[in-house]
Amino acid sequence: MPGPEGSRGQASSYSRLRIPARDSKNLKKPPQAVGDRRDYVARIAGVNIPTNKRVLIALQYIHGIGSKSAADIIEKVKIPEDRRVNQLTDQEVLQIREVIDRDYVVEGDLRRETGINIKRLMDLGCYRGLRHRRGLPVRGQRTHTNARTRKGPAKSIAGKKK
C-alpha cells in the first residue's frame, strides 16, 4: 500500500499545505459577553441571526418575518433602528424572542401550515389543487413557453426537427 507520497513517490497535496503553528496570535478566544454586549450569535426562533447586520435586516432571515414585521418588532421592543445584532443585550434578545413567539407564526409552524393548506387544496381536487399536484403554475401564468421553474428543465421531444 503506498504511503502518503502517492504511487509515484511525489508528495501529496495534503503534505504540501502549510499549517501555521499554534501560537498566541492564531488561537481563537471563546465567545464572551463583554459587559452587556453580545460577542456570539443570537439564536431567535431556531435561526442563527447574522451578528454584523442591523437588527431590522437580521430579523428578516427568519422565515415569516419581512421588512414590515421586523420594523414592528423593533418598535415594540424599543430598539433603535441603527443598532446592530452584536450590540444587543441578552435582555433585548429575550424580548425580541418573546414578541416573535407571542405575535407571529414563523419557521416550522408556518411551513407546516402552508403545507397543510396546499394538501387541503389537492385533496379537494379544486383547480389550484390540481395545478399543485401536476407541478404547474398555480396563479394563471402562461405555460406554452416559460414556467420552467415549476415544470423543471426542458425535455426534448424526439422527431421534432424540421
Side-chain angles (χ1 to χ4, degrees):
M1 180 175 213
E5 299 87 45
S7 60
R8 297 187 180 161
Q10 298 170 348
S12 69
S13 61
Y14 294 113
S15 62
R16 283 184 255 150
L17 293 176
R18 186 175 169 275
I19 301 171
R22 294 187 64 167
D23 57 5
S24 60
K25 292 181 208 171
N26 293 331
L27 289 177
K28 285 204 168 196
K29 294 177 182 164
Q32 297 174 351
V34 181
D36 272 352
R37 288 189 165 180
R38 302 172 58 82
D39 215 19
Y40 51 92
V41 177
R43 190 166 176 85
I44 299 173
V47 177
N48 290 338
I49 304 296
T51 54
N52 292 328
K53 295 190 182 292
R54 291 186 302 130
V55 180
L56 183 71
I57 303 302
L59 284 176
Q60 295 177 40
Y61 279 67
I62 300 171
H63 180 71
I65 294 182
S67 57
K68 177 79 169 79
S69 302
D72 292 344
I73 291 167
I74 288 175
E75 189 178 312
K76 286 178 187 174
V77 181
K78 297 184 176 92
I79 295 174
E81 284 191 19
D82 59 340
R83 180 84 64 88
R84 298 201 176 262
V85 174
N86 57 5
Q87 298 171 336
L88 291 175
T89 63
D90 288 339
Q91 187 62 35
E92 289 170 333
V93 172
L94 190 65
Q95 287 175 332
I96 291 171
R97 198 175 292 142
E98 287 171 356
V99 168
I100 290 173
D101 288 343
R102 185 180 65 232
D103 298 339
Y104 297 93
V105 180
V106 292
E107 283 300 321
D109 295 336
L110 181 60
R111 292 180 205 273
R112 191 177 311 109
E113 191 175 307
T114 306
I116 289 170
N117 288 339
I118 291 172
K119 188 175 183 326
R120 178 180 52 83
L121 290 171
M122 291 193 301
D123 291 343
L124 282 173
C126 64
Y127 181 77
R128 285 173 57 202
L130 294 176
R131 303 298 281 182
H132 274 292
R133 196 180 300 163
R134 292 179 185 159
L136 294 169
V138 177
R139 297 184 178 181
Q141 298 92 329
R142 67 178 292 132
T143 57
H144 181 72
T145 59
N146 302 336
R148 294 277 45 122
T149 303
R150 287 288 294 181
K151 291 167 77 172
K155 301 166 192 83
S156 60
I157 300 172
K160 185 83 176 184
K161 287 186 178 178
K162 291 183 179 178

